[in-house]
Amino acid sequence: MGQGNLILREREYEAFQSVLRKLLSEAYAKVVFLVDKNGTLLASAGQTERFDTTSLASLAAGNIAATGGLANLIGEKEFSILFHEGERDNMHISVVADRLILVVIFDRRSSVGLVRLRVRRVSMELETILAAVLEDAGGEAGMIEELTEDDIESLFK
């Protein structure tokens, strides 16, 4: 599966949002983020106003990449689930369909077991939506990435 930038249409964005809102409610989470492996925030639900979402998305992608390096050192492809425990809040990070990163932040109203269970359930829905995004995009994603600097300059002449 390619790792180019995803192009979301309104329909797919709303589908991602709907899944994240369901996860937020069923896992008793504070906030949920969906990020691509390039570090771009795709969607979020919950109390996002207290977070620097751009930094969080980039750092989550970096965290997955770094632990992927650790996994390679011991002969694993990657660690698909990461868990960080804090004094007040905890963070559950998981890779979905080799392409998406799902970040769930929760406090003591929930548990890591409940979050893992709910994440596992919604991952299939996220994979289905991602498959539709990639199918709809067809060759479009590759087309954008193949633009040269001269192509872009010619657009503004």
Side-chain angles (χ1 to χ4, degrees):
M1 186 178 297
Q3 295 294 309
N5 292 323
L6 291 175
I7 299 171
L8 292 183
R9 292 180 172 77
E10 186 71 23
R11 175 187 65 216
E12 294 130 354
Y13 173 76
E14 288 300 327
F16 278 140
Q17 285 290 124
S18 175
V19 172
L20 295 186
R21 283 192 294 267
K22 181 171 111 181
L23 175 61
L24 181 79
S25 172
E26 292 181 352
Y28 299 102
K30 294 174 81 174
V31 64
V32 180
F33 297 99
L34 185 64
V35 178
D36 74 7
K37 275 194 164 178
N38 295 328
T40 303
L41 179 67
L42 300 175
S44 61
Q47 305 165 7
T48 60
E49 60 278 346
R50 68 176 258 239
F51 294 98
D52 175 354
T53 56
T54 302
S55 296
L56 190 138
S58 297
L59 291 170
N63 197 346
I64 290 293
T67 55
L70 289 171
N72 287 334
L73 289 175
I74 64 167
E76 291 289 328
K77 181 180 168 213
E78 81 179 346
F79 295 124
S80 60
I81 297 174
L82 306 174
F83 175 68
H84 300 285
E85 183 175 358
E87 288 183 23
R88 291 181 327 230
D89 295 329
N90 306 306
M91 182 180 292
H92 182 278
I93 302 173
S94 57
V95 176
V96 177
D98 262 350
R99 181 76 187 252
L100 304 174
I101 301 169
L102 185 58
V103 180
V104 180
I105 298 173
F106 61 98
D107 58 18
R108 63 180 83 147
R109 292 177 300 144
S110 188
S111 69
V112 67
L114 178 64
V115 171
R116 286 186 70 174
L117 175 68
R118 300 303 186 205
V119 163
R120 194 174 309 134
R121 287 186 180 172
V122 302
S123 291
M124 295 294 289
E125 294 176 57
L126 294 172
E127 284 185 45
T128 302
I129 298 165
L130 177 63
V133 169
L134 296 174
E135 185 178 314
D136 285 351
E140 291 177 30
M143 211 170 78
I144 290 172
E145 292 169 352
E146 292 172 7
L147 287 175
T148 64
E149 194 170 311
D150 290 337
D151 294 332
I152 295 169
E153 287 294 325
S154 71
L155 292 173
F156 298 102
K157 289 183 181 177

